[in-house]
Protein backbone atom coordinates (compact mmCIF):
# COMPACT_ATOMS: atom_id res chain seq x y z
CA UNK A 1 0.00 0.00 0.00
CA UNK A 2 2.12 2.91 -1.26
CA UNK A 3 -0.30 5.57 0.00
CA UNK A 4 -0.10 4.35 3.53
CA UNK A 5 3.67 4.32 3.57
CA UNK A 6 3.77 7.87 2.26
CA UNK A 7 1.39 8.96 5.01
CA UNK A 8 3.50 7.43 7.72
CA UNK A 9 6.66 8.97 6.36
CA UNK A 10 5.40 12.53 6.28
CA UNK A 11 6.33 13.73 9.74
CA UNK A 12 3.49 12.08 11.54
CA UNK A 13 0.74 13.75 9.55
CA UNK A 14 -2.13 11.97 7.81
CA UNK A 15 -1.57 12.62 4.14
CA UNK A 16 -3.57 10.83 1.47
CA UNK A 17 -1.62 10.02 -1.66
CA UNK A 18 -4.48 10.87 -4.00
CA UNK A 19 -2.55 10.34 -7.22
CA UNK A 20 -1.68 6.77 -6.26
CA UNK A 21 -4.88 5.85 -4.46
CA UNK A 22 -5.88 2.33 -5.42
CA UNK A 23 -9.17 1.69 -7.17
CA UNK A 24 -11.70 0.53 -4.63
CA UNK A 25 -10.02 2.55 -1.91
CA UNK A 26 -7.37 1.97 0.71
CA UNK A 27 -7.25 1.74 4.46
CA UNK A 28 -5.13 4.37 6.16
CA UNK A 29 -4.18 3.12 9.58
CA UNK A 30 -1.68 4.71 11.93
CA UNK A 31 -0.93 7.32 14.50
CA UNK A 32 -0.02 10.96 14.04
CA UNK A 33 2.86 12.68 15.76
CA UNK A 34 2.08 13.20 19.46
CA UNK A 35 2.50 16.98 19.45
CA UNK A 36 -0.46 17.62 17.12
CA UNK A 37 -2.89 18.12 19.96
CA UNK A 38 -1.99 20.94 22.26
CA UNK A 39 -4.43 22.00 24.93
CA UNK A 40 -2.25 24.88 25.99
CA UNK A 41 -2.29 25.43 29.71
CA UNK A 42 -5.30 23.19 30.30
CA UNK A 43 -4.48 20.92 33.20
CA UNK A 44 -7.65 18.87 32.87
CA UNK A 45 -6.62 17.16 29.62
CA UNK A 46 -3.22 15.92 28.47
CA UNK A 47 -2.90 13.97 25.23
CA UNK A 48 -1.04 10.66 25.46
CA UNK A 49 0.59 9.86 22.14
CA UNK A 50 -0.76 10.85 18.74
CA UNK A 51 -4.19 10.61 17.16
CA UNK A 52 -4.88 7.03 16.06
CA UNK A 53 -6.80 6.65 12.84
CA UNK A 54 -8.31 3.81 10.88
CA UNK A 55 -9.93 5.21 7.77
CA UNK A 56 -11.16 3.85 4.49
CA UNK A 57 -10.18 6.36 1.83
CA UNK A 58 -11.67 6.12 -1.64
CA UNK A 59 -12.33 8.11 -4.75
CA UNK A 60 -15.91 8.35 -5.96
CA UNK A 61 -15.68 10.23 -9.22
CA UNK A 62 -14.17 13.58 -8.32
CA UNK A 63 -14.97 13.20 -4.64
CA UNK A 64 -12.50 11.89 -2.13
CA UNK A 65 -14.21 10.19 0.78
CA UNK A 66 -12.60 9.20 4.07
CA UNK A 67 -14.61 7.25 6.64
CA UNK A 68 -13.73 5.47 9.82
CA UNK A 69 -12.53 5.95 13.33
CA UNK A 70 -10.18 8.37 15.07
CA UNK A 71 -9.08 8.02 18.69
CA UNK A 72 -6.90 9.86 21.17
CA UNK A 73 -5.67 8.58 24.52
CA UNK A 74 -5.91 11.20 27.25
CA UNK A 75 -4.84 11.77 30.79
CA UNK A 76 -7.61 13.69 32.54
CA UNK A 77 -8.19 15.33 35.87
CA UNK A 78 -11.66 14.49 37.15
CA UNK A 79 -13.75 17.67 37.31
CA UNK A 80 -15.50 16.37 40.43
CA UNK A 81 -12.87 14.69 42.60
CA UNK A 82 -9.59 15.96 41.00
CA UNK A 83 -8.22 12.42 40.65
CA UNK A 84 -6.12 11.70 37.59
CA UNK A 85 -7.34 9.02 35.23
CA UNK A 86 -6.80 7.86 31.66
CA UNK A 87 -9.46 7.68 29.01
CA UNK A 88 -9.94 7.94 25.29
CA UNK A 89 -11.72 10.49 23.11
CA UNK A 90 -13.07 8.82 20.00
CA UNK A 91 -15.06 9.64 16.91
CA UNK A 92 -16.21 6.33 15.49
CA UNK A 93 -18.22 7.87 12.71
CA UNK A 94 -15.61 10.14 11.20
CA UNK A 95 -16.56 11.23 7.68
CA UNK A 96 -14.73 13.64 5.45
CA UNK A 97 -15.26 14.36 1.79
CA UNK A 98 -13.63 16.77 -0.59
CA UNK A 99 -13.89 17.58 -4.26
CA UNK A 100 -10.59 17.00 -5.95
CA UNK A 101 -9.26 17.66 -9.43
CA UNK A 102 -6.45 16.39 -11.65
CA UNK A 103 -3.88 18.57 -9.94
CA UNK A 104 -4.58 17.16 -6.47
CA UNK A 105 -1.75 14.76 -5.72
CA UNK A 106 -1.88 14.81 -1.95
CA UNK A 107 -4.53 15.68 0.59
CA UNK A 108 -3.58 16.40 4.18
CA UNK A 109 -6.35 15.22 6.53
CA UNK A 110 -4.43 15.95 9.72
CA UNK A 111 -6.44 19.05 10.56
CA UNK A 112 -9.73 17.24 9.92
CA UNK A 113 -8.98 14.40 12.32
CA UNK A 114 -7.59 16.87 14.87
CA UNK A 115 -10.86 18.80 14.83
CA UNK A 116 -12.87 15.58 15.13
CA UNK A 117 -10.93 14.71 18.28
CA UNK A 118 -11.37 18.18 19.74
CA UNK A 119 -15.14 17.86 19.26
CA UNK A 120 -15.04 14.47 20.96
CA UNK A 121 -13.18 15.70 24.04
CA UNK A 122 -15.07 15.52 27.31
CA UNK A 123 -16.10 19.02 28.43
CA UNK A 124 -16.15 18.01 32.08
CA UNK A 125 -14.11 14.84 32.44
CA UNK A 126 -15.29 12.55 35.23
CA UNK A 127 -13.34 9.54 36.40
CA UNK A 128 -16.58 7.53 36.49
CA UNK A 129 -20.27 8.28 36.18
CA UNK A 130 -20.84 7.62 39.87
CA UNK A 131 -17.97 9.83 41.05
CA UNK A 132 -19.11 11.49 44.25
CA UNK A 133 -16.60 14.32 44.08
CA UNK A 134 -15.14 16.31 46.93
CA UNK A 135 -16.92 17.53 50.01
CA UNK A 136 -17.56 21.26 49.55
CA UNK A 137 -16.82 21.88 53.20
CA UNK A 138 -13.73 19.84 54.09
CA UNK A 139 -12.39 18.79 50.67
CA UNK A 140 -12.45 15.07 51.47
CA UNK A 141 -12.69 12.74 48.47
CA UNK A 142 -16.14 11.23 49.00
CA UNK A 143 -15.23 8.26 46.78
CA UNK A 144 -12.71 7.16 49.37
CA UNK A 145 -14.62 7.80 52.57
CA UNK A 146 -17.66 9.50 53.96
CA UNK A 147 -16.86 12.68 55.86
CA UNK A 148 -18.87 13.96 58.76
CA UNK A 149 -19.50 17.49 57.44
CA UNK A 150 -23.06 16.99 56.24
CA UNK A 151 -24.21 15.69 59.55
CA UNK A 152 -22.25 18.29 61.49
CA UNK A 153 -23.30 21.11 59.15
CA UNK A 154 -26.93 20.20 59.56
CA UNK A 155 -26.57 20.02 63.30
CA UNK A 156 -24.96 23.46 63.30
CA UNK A 157 -27.78 24.93 61.27
CA UNK A 158 -30.36 23.54 63.61
CA UNK A 159 -28.57 24.83 66.65
CA UNK A 160 -28.32 28.27 65.01
CA UNK A 161 -32.07 28.21 64.46
CA UNK A 162 -32.58 27.07 67.97
CA UNK A 163 -30.57 30.02 69.22
CA UNK A 164 -32.95 32.43 67.41
CA UNK A 165 -35.99 31.09 69.20
ZN1 LIG B 1 -13.85 11.66 40.09
ZN1 LIG C 1 -16.58 17.06 54.50
Amino acid sequence: MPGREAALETQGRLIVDVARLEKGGEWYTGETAPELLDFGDSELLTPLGGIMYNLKVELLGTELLARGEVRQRLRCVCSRCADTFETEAAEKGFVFSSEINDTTDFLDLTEEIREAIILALPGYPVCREACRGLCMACGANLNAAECTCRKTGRDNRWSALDALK
Side-chain angles (χ1 to χ4, degrees), residues 8 11-14 29-39 46-54 69-75 87-91 110 113-115 117-118 121:
L8 291 176
Q11 296 176 330
R13 300 184 68 84
L14 169 52
T29 303
E31 184 173 345
T32 67
E35 65 269 19
L36 281 174
L37 273 186
D38 178 13
F39 301 132
T46 309
L48 299 173
I51 300 169
M52 290 169 282
Y53 52 86
N54 188 30
E69 184 176 286
V70 291
R71 293 180 289 132
Q72 169 74 61
R73 296 282 307 158
L74 299 166
R75 188 185 303 117
T87 188
E88 199 175 77
E91 174 52 80
T110 310
I113 62 172
R114 204 180 77 88
E115 280 171 14
I117 290 297
I118 287 173
L121 292 174

Side-chain angles (χ1 to χ4, degrees), residues 13-153:
R13 300 184 68 84
L14 169 52
I15 294 173
V16 174
D17 192 345
V18 180
R20 293 162 71 187
L21 196 62
E22 286 171 17
K23 254 192 156 51
E26 278 177 53
W27 282 93
Y28 276 69
T29 303
E31 184 173 345
T32 67
E35 65 269 19
L36 281 174
L37 273 186
D38 178 13
F39 301 132
D41 53 4
S42 167
E43 289 174 2
L44 290 184
L45 298 173
T46 309
L48 299 173
I51 300 169
M52 290 169 282
Y53 52 86
N54 188 30
L55 304 173
K56 175 82 180 285
V57 183
E58 55 193 321
L59 269 176
L60 303 170
T62 58
E63 183 191 15
L64 182 119
L65 186 64
R67 283 175 297 182
E69 184 176 286
V70 291
R71 293 180 289 132
Q72 169 74 61
R73 296 282 307 158
L74 299 166
R75 188 185 303 117
C76 302
V77 176
C78 177
S79 56
R80 290 186 202 155
C81 73
D83 258 0
T84 300
F85 66 101
E86 289 185 12
T87 188
E88 199 175 77
E91 174 52 80
K92 292 183 171 150
F94 176 86
V95 180
F96 169 79
S97 78
S98 174
E99 284 290 319
I100 56 152
N101 55 47
D102 290 345
T103 62
T104 312
D105 286 339
F106 297 96
L107 205 59
D108 189 342
L109 298 188
T110 310
E111 196 53 35
E112 275 70 26
I113 62 172
R114 204 180 77 88
E115 280 171 14
I117 290 297
I118 287 173
L119 289 175
L121 292 174
Y124 296 94
V126 283
C127 61
R128 60 193 121 149
E129 268 314 308
C131 174
R132 302 176 65 203
L134 303 177
C135 170
M136 301 286 276
C138 73
N141 186 335
L142 297 176
N143 296 314
E146 197 72 55
C147 69
T148 54
C149 291
R150 277 181 213 189
K151 194 164 180 293
T152 316

